[in-house]
Amino acid sequence: MTGFAVVSSQYEPSDLTVDNLGNTAPAFRAMALVLMASRLALTAQYGLVFLYVRIYTKTVVPLASSMAVLFIASMFFLGTYFGFPGDFNNPAATDRHIYIGWLVWTGIIAGSY
Protein backbone atom coordinates (compact mmCIF):
# COMPACT_ATOMS: atom_id res chain seq x y z
CA MET A 1 0.00 0.00 0.00
CA THR A 2 2.85 2.35 0.69
CA GLY A 3 4.15 1.81 -2.83
CA PHE A 4 0.81 2.80 -4.31
CA ALA A 5 0.66 5.92 -2.12
CA VAL A 6 4.15 7.03 -3.11
CA VAL A 7 3.75 6.47 -6.84
CA SER A 8 0.15 7.63 -7.21
CA SER A 9 1.07 11.27 -6.65
CA GLN A 10 2.93 11.24 -9.98
CA TYR A 11 0.44 9.12 -11.95
CA GLU A 12 -0.48 11.35 -14.87
CA PRO A 13 -0.56 9.51 -18.21
CA SER A 14 -0.78 12.76 -20.18
CA ASP A 15 2.63 13.78 -18.79
CA LEU A 16 4.37 10.80 -20.38
CA THR A 17 5.80 12.97 -23.14
CA VAL A 18 9.27 14.00 -24.20
CA ASP A 19 9.15 17.16 -22.10
CA ASN A 20 8.13 15.52 -18.82
CA LEU A 21 9.61 12.08 -19.36
CA GLY A 22 12.33 12.50 -16.76
CA ASN A 23 9.71 12.99 -14.03
CA THR A 24 6.96 10.56 -14.96
CA ALA A 25 8.67 7.54 -16.52
CA PRO A 26 10.44 6.49 -13.28
CA ALA A 27 7.12 6.73 -11.45
CA PHE A 28 5.42 4.53 -14.04
CA ARG A 29 8.25 2.01 -13.91
CA ALA A 30 8.01 1.94 -10.10
CA MET A 31 4.23 1.43 -10.31
CA ALA A 32 4.79 -1.54 -12.63
CA LEU A 33 7.07 -3.13 -10.03
CA VAL A 34 4.60 -2.41 -7.22
CA LEU A 35 1.79 -4.03 -9.23
CA MET A 36 3.99 -7.05 -9.96
CA ALA A 37 5.02 -7.47 -6.32
CA SER A 38 1.45 -7.18 -5.07
CA ARG A 39 0.27 -9.87 -7.48
CA LEU A 40 3.13 -12.15 -6.48
CA ALA A 41 2.24 -11.62 -2.81
CA LEU A 42 -1.37 -12.59 -3.54
CA THR A 43 -0.17 -15.67 -5.43
CA ALA A 44 1.92 -16.71 -2.43
CA GLN A 45 -0.99 -16.14 -0.05
CA TYR A 46 -3.32 -18.23 -2.21
CA GLY A 47 -0.59 -20.88 -2.41
CA LEU A 48 -0.45 -21.11 1.36
CA VAL A 49 -4.23 -21.46 1.55
CA PHE A 50 -4.02 -24.08 -1.19
CA LEU A 51 -1.66 -26.18 0.92
CA TYR A 52 -4.12 -26.27 3.79
CA VAL A 53 -7.32 -26.91 1.82
CA ARG A 54 -6.04 -29.23 -0.91
CA ILE A 55 -7.72 -32.20 0.72
CA TYR A 56 -11.06 -30.67 -0.25
CA THR A 57 -11.25 -31.59 -3.92
CA LYS A 58 -13.69 -28.84 -4.86
CA THR A 59 -11.19 -26.16 -3.87
CA VAL A 60 -8.27 -27.33 -6.01
CA VAL A 61 -9.34 -25.98 -9.40
CA PRO A 62 -10.64 -22.56 -8.24
CA LEU A 63 -7.57 -21.83 -6.14
CA ALA A 64 -5.15 -23.10 -8.77
CA SER A 65 -6.82 -21.02 -11.48
CA SER A 66 -6.75 -17.91 -9.28
CA MET A 67 -3.08 -18.48 -8.60
CA ALA A 68 -2.37 -18.94 -12.29
CA VAL A 69 -4.19 -15.75 -13.28
CA LEU A 70 -2.38 -13.74 -10.61
CA PHE A 71 1.02 -15.15 -11.57
CA ILE A 72 0.45 -14.42 -15.27
CA ALA A 73 -0.68 -10.91 -14.35
CA SER A 74 2.46 -10.36 -12.29
CA MET A 75 4.61 -11.37 -15.26
CA PHE A 76 2.61 -9.02 -17.47
CA PHE A 77 3.21 -6.16 -15.04
CA LEU A 78 6.91 -7.02 -15.04
CA GLY A 79 6.80 -6.77 -18.83
CA THR A 80 5.24 -3.31 -18.63
CA TYR A 81 8.21 -2.23 -16.54
CA PHE A 82 10.37 -2.72 -19.61
CA GLY A 83 7.73 -1.08 -21.82
CA PHE A 84 8.21 2.31 -20.22
CA PRO A 85 11.18 4.24 -21.52
CA GLY A 86 14.36 3.94 -19.55
CA ASP A 87 16.42 5.73 -22.18
CA PHE A 88 15.29 9.34 -21.95
CA ASN A 89 17.42 10.39 -24.92
CA ASN A 90 15.63 8.09 -27.35
CA PRO A 91 12.61 9.88 -28.88
CA ALA A 92 11.27 6.58 -30.23
CA ALA A 93 10.81 5.36 -26.66
CA THR A 94 8.38 8.14 -25.74
CA ASP A 95 4.63 8.54 -26.16
CA ARG A 96 3.89 4.94 -25.27
CA HIS A 97 0.51 4.03 -23.88
CA ILE A 98 1.55 0.85 -22.10
CA TYR A 99 -0.29 1.98 -18.98
CA ILE A 100 -3.54 1.04 -20.75
CA GLY A 101 -2.39 -2.57 -20.35
CA TRP A 102 -2.65 -2.10 -16.59
CA LEU A 103 -6.31 -1.27 -16.96
CA VAL A 104 -6.98 -4.19 -19.29
CA TRP A 105 -5.23 -6.73 -17.07
CA THR A 106 -6.92 -5.41 -13.97
CA GLY A 107 -10.24 -5.97 -15.74
CA ILE A 108 -9.19 -9.50 -16.71
CA ILE A 109 -8.24 -10.27 -13.11
CA ALA A 110 -11.54 -8.91 -11.83
CA GLY A 111 -13.45 -10.87 -14.46
CA SER A 112 -11.69 -14.10 -13.59
CA TYR A 113 -13.29 -14.10 -10.14
Side-chain angles (χ1 to χ4, degrees), residues 7-17 24 27-28 99:
V7 176
S8 67
S9 65
Q10 295 183 358
Y11 182 79
E12 184 59 47
S14 62
D15 283 346
L16 197 59
T17 61
T24 56
F28 276 73
Y99 64 90

Short mmCIF file of all heavy atoms in Angstrom, two decimals, residues 7-17 24 27-28 99:
data_model
loop_
_atom_site.label_atom_id
_atom_site.label_comp_id
_atom_site.label_asym_id
_atom_site.label_seq_id
_atom_site.Cartn_x
_atom_site.Cartn_y
_atom_site.Cartn_z
N VAL A 7 3.73 6.32 -5.39
CA VAL A 7 3.75 6.47 -6.84
C VAL A 7 2.52 7.19 -7.37
O VAL A 7 2.58 7.88 -8.38
CB VAL A 7 3.91 5.07 -7.50
CG1 VAL A 7 3.85 5.17 -8.99
CG2 VAL A 7 5.22 4.46 -7.07
N SER A 8 1.39 7.07 -6.69
CA SER A 8 0.15 7.63 -7.21
C SER A 8 0.18 9.15 -7.32
O SER A 8 -0.55 9.72 -8.13
CB SER A 8 -1.03 7.20 -6.35
OG SER A 8 -0.93 7.79 -5.07
N SER A 9 1.01 9.81 -6.56
CA SER A 9 1.07 11.27 -6.65
C SER A 9 1.64 11.73 -7.99
O SER A 9 1.42 12.87 -8.38
CB SER A 9 1.91 11.83 -5.51
OG SER A 9 3.25 11.41 -5.64
N GLN A 10 2.36 10.87 -8.69
CA GLN A 10 2.93 11.24 -9.98
C GLN A 10 2.26 10.52 -11.14
O GLN A 10 2.75 10.57 -12.26
CB GLN A 10 4.42 10.93 -10.00
CG GLN A 10 5.20 11.76 -9.02
CD GLN A 10 6.67 11.48 -9.11
OE1 GLN A 10 7.13 10.64 -9.87
NE2 GLN A 10 7.44 12.18 -8.32
N TYR A 11 1.13 9.85 -10.88
CA TYR A 11 0.44 9.12 -11.95
C TYR A 11 -0.35 10.10 -12.80
O TYR A 11 -1.42 10.55 -12.44
CB TYR A 11 -0.49 8.05 -11.37
CG TYR A 11 -1.20 7.24 -12.43
CD1 TYR A 11 -0.55 6.22 -13.08
CD2 TYR A 11 -2.50 7.54 -12.79
CE1 TYR A 11 -1.18 5.48 -14.06
CE2 TYR A 11 -3.15 6.80 -13.78
CZ TYR A 11 -2.48 5.77 -14.40
OH TYR A 11 -3.11 5.06 -15.37
N GLU A 12 0.20 10.46 -13.92
CA GLU A 12 -0.48 11.35 -14.87
C GLU A 12 -0.09 10.89 -16.27
O GLU A 12 0.95 11.28 -16.80
CB GLU A 12 -0.06 12.79 -14.63
CG GLU A 12 -0.78 13.79 -15.50
CD GLU A 12 -2.28 13.75 -15.31
OE1 GLU A 12 -2.75 13.75 -14.16
OE2 GLU A 12 -3.00 13.71 -16.32
N PRO A 13 -0.92 10.05 -16.89
CA PRO A 13 -0.56 9.51 -18.21
C PRO A 13 -0.33 10.57 -19.27
O PRO A 13 0.48 10.39 -20.17
CB PRO A 13 -1.77 8.65 -18.58
CG PRO A 13 -2.40 8.29 -17.28
CD PRO A 13 -2.15 9.47 -16.38
N SER A 14 -0.98 11.72 -19.16
CA SER A 14 -0.78 12.76 -20.18
C SER A 14 0.60 13.40 -20.07
O SER A 14 1.03 14.07 -21.00
CB SER A 14 -1.87 13.83 -20.06
OG SER A 14 -1.79 14.46 -18.80
N ASP A 15 1.29 13.22 -18.95
CA ASP A 15 2.63 13.78 -18.79
C ASP A 15 3.73 12.85 -19.30
O ASP A 15 4.90 13.16 -19.16
CB ASP A 15 2.91 14.11 -17.33
CG ASP A 15 2.23 15.38 -16.89
OD1 ASP A 15 1.76 16.13 -17.77
OD2 ASP A 15 2.15 15.62 -15.67
N LEU A 16 3.37 11.73 -19.86
CA LEU A 16 4.37 10.80 -20.38
C LEU A 16 4.76 11.24 -21.79
O LEU A 16 4.52 10.57 -22.77
CB LEU A 16 3.83 9.37 -20.36
CG LEU A 16 4.85 8.25 -20.48
CD1 LEU A 16 5.85 8.32 -19.35
CD2 LEU A 16 4.16 6.91 -20.48
N THR A 17 5.36 12.40 -21.87
CA THR A 17 5.80 12.97 -23.14
C THR A 17 7.29 13.26 -23.06
O THR A 17 7.92 13.11 -22.01
CB THR A 17 5.04 14.27 -23.45
OG1 THR A 17 5.31 15.21 -22.40
CG2 THR A 17 3.54 14.03 -23.56
N THR A 24 8.05 11.52 -15.04
CA THR A 24 6.96 10.56 -14.96
C THR A 24 7.36 9.13 -15.27
O THR A 24 6.78 8.21 -14.70
CB THR A 24 5.82 10.97 -15.92
OG1 THR A 24 6.35 11.09 -17.24
CG2 THR A 24 5.19 12.26 -15.49
N ALA A 27 8.30 7.02 -12.27
CA ALA A 27 7.12 6.73 -11.45
C ALA A 27 6.31 5.59 -12.06
O ALA A 27 5.82 4.71 -11.35
CB ALA A 27 6.26 7.98 -11.29
N PHE A 28 6.17 5.60 -13.38
CA PHE A 28 5.42 4.53 -14.04
C PHE A 28 6.16 3.21 -13.93
O PHE A 28 5.55 2.15 -13.75
CB PHE A 28 5.18 4.89 -15.51
CG PHE A 28 3.98 5.76 -15.73
CD1 PHE A 28 4.00 7.09 -15.37
CD2 PHE A 28 2.85 5.25 -16.29
CE1 PHE A 28 2.90 7.90 -15.55
CE2 PHE A 28 1.73 6.03 -16.49
CZ PHE A 28 1.76 7.37 -16.13
N TYR A 99 0.50 1.95 -20.21
CA TYR A 99 -0.29 1.98 -18.98
C TYR A 99 -1.72 1.50 -19.21
O TYR A 99 -2.39 1.07 -18.27
CB TYR A 99 -0.30 3.38 -18.36
CG TYR A 99 -0.96 4.42 -19.22
CD1 TYR A 99 -2.32 4.66 -19.10
CD2 TYR A 99 -0.23 5.14 -20.15
CE1 TYR A 99 -2.94 5.60 -19.90
CE2 TYR A 99 -0.85 6.07 -20.95
CZ TYR A 99 -2.19 6.30 -20.82
OH TYR A 99 -2.81 7.22 -21.61
#
